[in-house]
Amino acid sequence: MSAFIQQLPALIGVVIGALGSYVASTRGDQARFRRERAAHWEERRLTAYADFARSLKKSVTLAYRIAAHLGNDPHPHPLSPEEAAPHLADATDARDPAGEALLMLGTPDVVEKARAWVVVVMEMEGFLRDRTHSPETWSAILKRQRAAREGFYAAVRRDLALPPGHSGEWRLAPAQTPGSLT
C-alpha cells in the first residue's frame, strides 16, 4: 500500500495534466470555431453589401444615361427612356433579392443607410419618368444620391471594421483646348 501512496502524487499530476490539456484543447477549439464562424458571416455580409451596391449602382448608371438623353446630365452615352425601360426593369428586379440578403445579414445601421440610398435612387427614377428637364434639380438629386451612397459605404466600413475609404466622387481634369497643350 505504501508504494501506491508514494505513486499517488504522480498519478494526481497525470490526471490534472490530462484534464488541463483537455480544457485547453476544448477552449482553443471553441475559440477557433467562433473566429471561423465570425469570419464566415463577415464574408457573407460583405458579399451581400457588395451585391446590393452593385445592383443599385446599375440603376444609377442607367439614370445618368437617361438624364443625358433628356439634357440633364453630361453622360457621354445617352439612352432614351424607351431603350432603357427593359434595362431599368432588370436592374429593379435585381435589387429585390440583393435587398433581401441585405435585410437578413446587414446591421440595422447599414440597412438604414441602404434604405436612404434607395429612396434617393427612386426619386431619381421618378424625376426621369416625368421627363423633367432641369439640370439644376438633377444636380441637386445627384448630390443627395452621392451623399446617401457615401453614407451606405461608411456604414459598411464601420460594420466590417474597415478603415475609412474614398468618397467615390471622381473629379475630372478640366478639358484642355488644342491651344492650351504645351
Side-chain angles (χ1 to χ4, degrees):
M1 186 83 160
S2 91
F4 175 74
I5 292 188
Q6 288 177 346
Q7 297 296 321
L8 190 58
L11 183 60
I12 291 173
V14 168
V15 169
I16 290 174
L19 285 174
S21 178
Y22 173 76
V23 168
S25 175
T26 301
R27 291 239 170 131
D29 287 347
Q30 288 172 344
R32 185 175 58 249
F33 173 76
R34 284 191 298 275
R35 279 192 311 272
E36 288 172 358
R37 185 179 59 190
H40 169 77
W41 286 110
E42 188 171 289
E43 187 176 313
R44 296 290 303 260
R45 282 197 322 273
L46 176 60
T47 299
Y49 295 162
D51 289 349
F52 175 79
R54 194 176 303 111
S55 69
L56 197 55
K57 186 62 176 163
K58 188 179 285 190
S59 295
V60 170
T61 300
L62 287 166
Y64 285 148
R65 295 182 66 192
I66 297 166
H69 178 81
L70 298 174
N72 292 315
D73 194 273
H75 194 283
H77 305 288
L79 190 63
S80 74
E82 294 76 24
E83 291 175 299
H87 301 292
L88 276 173
D90 290 343
T92 301
D93 289 346
R95 274 196 325 233
D96 287 343
E100 291 301 316
L102 180 81
L103 286 172
M104 286 191 323
L105 298 172
T107 63
D109 183 39
V110 172
V111 171
E112 179 55 32
K113 299 299 184 186
R115 185 203 60 78
W117 190 14
V118 168
V119 166
V120 178
V121 170
M122 290 170 63
E123 184 181 343
M124 291 170 71
E125 292 168 345
F127 177 88
L128 297 172
R129 266 193 307 278
D130 294 341
R131 295 180 182 248
T132 306
H133 177 74
S134 175
E136 299 79 23
T137 303
W138 177 252
S139 180
I141 293 171
L142 285 185
K143 284 182 186 174
R144 286 198 314 280
Q145 185 274 142
R146 287 180 180 127
R149 181 184 71 178
E150 188 174 342
F152 172 75
Y153 287 147
V156 166
R157 287 185 194 104
R158 279 191 305 273
D159 177 36
L160 300 175
L162 298 172
H166 192 277
S167 69
E169 187 173 340
W170 301 102
R171 298 190 192 278
L172 300 176
Q176 295 182 348
T177 59
S180 68
L181 295 175
T182 347

